[in-house]
Each structure stands twice: as C-alpha cells, then as structure tokens.
Amino acid sequence: MAKQRKPNVFKISNEEVLRLSNAFTYPFPKYTTQIINLANGNAQGTVPRVVGQLTDFIQEFDGQTLEEWIAWYDNKMPNAIEIATEKAYDMVVKMREVSLLIDKDMVRHWVKDLVYNKTFCGLKVQQAILSYVAGVAGQEWRLATKAEEAKNIDGYIGEVAVQIKSSTYKLEKRLNHEIDIPIIYYEKKSTGLEIELDGFDITLF
C-alpha cells in the first residue's frame, strides 16, 4: 500500500529553492562538484577564517536581494572569494596529479582496506582499547566471556573488570542506572580513538 503524504506537508528540492531565490545557476559537469568539494575540504578553502562566519553574516545582512547580498559580502570580505578559490584550486591540481597514480589494483587495495581492515577495526574497538590500556598499565587483558557479558562486563585488565562505552553513554549513565565497575569511554575521531578512564586510576596497577 502506497504511503500517503500528509495534506499539509510539502517538500521543496534544493534546485527549486535556488530557482525561487533567483540564484545564479552554474553549468557544473557531472561529478565535478564532488571533486571540488573534496579538494576544498582538504584545502580548508571555505572555513570561517577564510570566508568568515557565514551563518552570522547572513543574520547581519539586512538586504533582500541576491545582488544586495553579493555587494554586502564583498564589502565585508573583499578578498575572500579569490583566496578560497586559490586554496581549493591548488588542491584540485594536486589531486589531478595523484589521480594518475590510481590504477585498478590500487582501487582493489582501497576496497579491501575498507571491507577487511576498517570494518573489522571499527567494530572491534573493545579489543584495541583493552590491549592499549593494558599495555600502558603493564597488565594482561582479555575479553569477557558470554557469562561475564551478561553481567555488563566487557573485559578485564589484570584482575579489574571494565566496561567499554561510547562517550555518548555518559548522558545515558546519568539518566539511567549507575554501573558499579570502571568504564573506559571512547570517542572516534578522524585520527583515531580518544579514550577516557572513569572509575579507576591506571597508576594503581
């Protein structure tokens, strides 16, 4: 049975928003914006220190039309567009050069790294965290048995039972029951894992 749309709920596409705002349309060939977005993200061409805090600027702007906004912005940040363009384009050039190094074997290696390595390591953070903390503490470690998992134990560092939780659990912990064993919180960052020990002092081992 087809899902019925609520009579007072409407969707406006991004393209329609641009049209209704009388915004310029640029002839971007297919896939080019994805490459520019990636290059710009690496180059940080449009971060606030380059183009300003746009969400604040649009609140300061008291005009009505796109033309007024362009004039207002260019007066506020006279060189920002060119600086951002140079940063992003320089990275596009670098990416164009290294793209010539990519062959089918490299793509296969990338797929294997994603499917085998990153997926396994991403899902098996408990093992990595236990191993790391135990190494710092100079202790042995092991994962919990099924029976121990039923008691909310994820593993042991030496003789100490610990739980391993995402940092988002801190709020849940306050709202729900207290856990009476030490917790190792972790947060995934772009560069790896950030961990925090709660309930025990690693120097006591």
Side-chain angles (χ1 to χ4, degrees):
M1 182 176 177
K3 185 178 181 180
Q4 293 184 338
R5 184 186 294 273
K6 295 180 181 179
N8 294 320
V9 176
F10 304 91
K11 291 184 178 180
I12 305 175
S13 68
N14 291 331
E15 292 77 12
E16 186 71 356
V17 170
L18 289 173
R19 188 187 69 80
L20 294 171
S21 301
N22 295 318
F24 303 129
T25 57
Y26 298 95
F28 293 114
K30 194 173 184 180
Y31 306 129
T32 56
T33 56
Q34 296 176 40
I35 294 172
I36 296 170
N37 276 331
L38 179 58
N40 180 61
N42 289 334
Q44 296 191 317
T46 54
V47 295
R49 59 184 169 79
V50 177
V51 298
Q53 191 66 53
L54 298 177
T55 52
D56 291 343
F57 284 179
I58 202 66
Q59 298 299 320
E60 294 176 31
F61 171 63
D62 59 3
Q64 297 295 326
T65 69
L66 178 60
E67 289 75 14
E68 288 175 319
W69 162 247
I70 292 171
W72 186 92
Y73 178 82
D74 285 348
N75 181 67
K76 182 91 171 178
M77 302 288 291
N79 300 313
I81 297 296
E82 284 307 310
I83 294 173
T85 299
E86 288 298 322
K87 284 179 172 289
Y89 182 70
D90 285 348
M91 186 59 66
V92 168
V93 171
K94 292 176 182 177
M95 291 173 64
R96 181 189 298 154
E97 292 172 352
V98 299
S99 70
L100 299 176
L101 304 175
I102 301 174
D103 57 15
K104 192 170 184 178
D105 281 341
M106 185 179 291
V107 173
R108 184 178 291 107
H109 292 157
W110 181 89
V111 173
K112 286 182 176 180
D113 184 54
L114 173 67
V115 174
Y116 297 155
N117 299 339
K118 289 187 170 59
T119 300
F120 179 82
C121 294
L123 294 175
K124 297 294 184 180
V125 294
Q126 289 184 352
Q127 180 172 320
I129 291 170
L130 284 169
S131 178
Y132 177 83
V133 176
V136 174
Q139 297 289 318
E140 298 294 321
W141 67 273
R142 68 173 177 85
L143 291 168
T145 64
K146 292 294 183 184
E148 290 165 343
E149 286 178 353
K151 300 176 183 178
N152 293 322
I153 297 171
D154 290 319
Y156 282 83
I157 297 175
E159 299 299 319
V160 179
V162 299
Q163 274 209 334
I164 299 172
K165 294 287 186 182
S166 167
S167 58
T168 58
Y169 188 81
K170 290 180 182 180
L171 177 60
E172 297 176 30
K173 179 184 176 184
R174 288 195 294 269
L175 294 177
N176 299 305
H177 63 283
E178 291 288 329
I179 297 175
D180 58 0
I181 63 174
I183 303 175
I184 302 174
Y185 291 111
Y186 71 90
E187 183 176 354
K188 291 185 178 180
K189 303 284 189 177
S190 60
T191 54
L193 295 174
E194 184 176 287
I195 62 175
E196 176 187 348
L197 309 182
D198 181 21
F200 68 104
D201 186 343
I202 202 168
T203 62
L204 298 180
F205 283 101

